[in-house]
Amino acid sequence: MKVFYLHGFASSTRSRKAVYLGERFASRGISLRCPDFNEPGFFSLTVTRMLDQLARDIASLDREPVVLIGSSLGAVVAIHTAARLADRIDRLVLLAPAVMFPRDADKVLGADRVAEWRRSGTLDVFHHGDGVTRPLNYAFYEDGLRYDATTAEVSQPARVFQGLRDEAVDHRVVEQWAAPRPNVQLTLLDDDHQLLASLPAIWSEMTAFLKLT
């Protein structure tokens, strides 16, 4: 089994979730693969680039089952990859999946800020992985509109963990996404978008779901 952790927007392979999960998979003899979606540069980031990067990484592996663990935007990349590479992806773990991205940009950023982003072509974003503000091309938003996680056909077993106090991803939207999909099991947690306080509980459920016990 090959396991990938897909970090979220303006995050990194060094995030607390990535480190936590990497250590625990290592204790089971599994190397957690963490693509760096910030490369070759954050400014030119697009969902298409993320999908292509992950597809190349998967293509370079043998035919072992692949598990995708995605956080926020990384979960969206996991959903679309599972739909596109259905014969390679065995199962999914989705953490606070931003299934409405980027159609909720007006709500998340504010309509005025989105309009200014469109006008200027650049948006200043605080990059949590680097701890600094970095510019992001408007192409990120335009490219994101090409993809819709709410209509992607995902047949693999999936576990979803969503915080009830998440201010970035509305738990009601995630509930609506999961409800009609019999292959998806949703767990709602008393936590925020980062889900850091819930990581021990998530890991416990993940080990059973991935048959690591």
Side-chain angles (χ1 to χ4, degrees):
M1 177 173 63
K2 306 296 186 184
V3 184
F4 285 81
Y5 175 76
L6 313 177
H7 67 75
F9 173 70
S11 184
S12 77
T13 60
R14 305 177 305 278
S15 71
R16 289 174 65 181
K17 284 197 288 289
V19 171
Y20 179 94
L21 293 173
E23 291 174 346
R24 276 144 190 84
F25 275 107
S27 72
R28 303 298 180 101
I30 297 172
S31 177
L32 186 63
R33 300 166 185 271
C34 300
D36 187 350
F37 293 128
N38 296 300
E39 296 297 335
F42 181 71
F43 179 76
S44 60
L45 178 69
T46 64
V47 174
T48 296
R49 191 182 87 183
M50 297 169 78
L51 288 168
D52 290 347
Q53 180 179 342
L54 179 58
R56 288 193 301 271
D57 288 348
I58 292 172
S60 70
L61 303 174
D62 56 29
R63 298 296 298 184
E64 281 188 75
V66 172
V67 173
L68 300 180
I69 304 170
S71 175
S72 194
L73 180 58
V76 173
V77 172
I79 289 169
H80 289 297
T81 299
R84 298 169 80 183
L85 304 177
D87 62 327
R88 293 303 314 272
I89 310 304
D90 182 64
R91 55 191 59 211
L92 305 175
V93 178
L94 309 176
L95 310 175
V99 293
M100 289 302 295
F101 167 86
R103 290 160 180 80
D104 58 352
D106 282 359
K107 177 181 177 182
V108 174
L109 295 174
D112 290 345
R113 197 174 181 204
V114 173
E116 174 59 22
W117 189 12
R118 182 185 301 110
R119 186 196 65 78
S120 68
T122 302
L123 177 72
D124 287 333
V125 175
F126 182 77
H127 195 290
H128 296 277
D130 295 340
V132 297
T133 298
R134 296 199 181 280
L136 179 64
N137 196 302
Y138 185 68
F140 175 74
Y141 176 79
E142 290 183 310
D143 178 79
L145 291 173
R146 297 173 54 195
Y147 303 95
D148 186 352
T150 65
T151 60
E153 295 186 8
V154 175
S155 58
Q156 298 90 339
R159 288 299 314 270
V160 181
F161 298 93
Q162 174 61 45
L164 290 169
R165 294 183 283 106
D166 190 332
E167 295 184 355
V169 175
D170 191 328
H171 69 86
R172 294 166 296 186
V173 172
V174 178
E175 289 179 81
Q176 292 170 3
W177 181 83
R181 295 172 168 83
N183 56 310
V184 175
Q185 182 178 348
L186 170 63
T187 298
L188 295 174
L189 301 161
D190 182 18
D191 209 338
D192 58 19
H193 186 62
Q194 297 299 318
L195 295 174
L196 295 177
S198 300
L199 282 177
I202 291 171
W203 173 250
S204 179
E205 294 195 36
M206 195 186 301
T207 55
F209 178 63
L210 301 181
K211 302 178 183 178
L212 300 178
T213 54

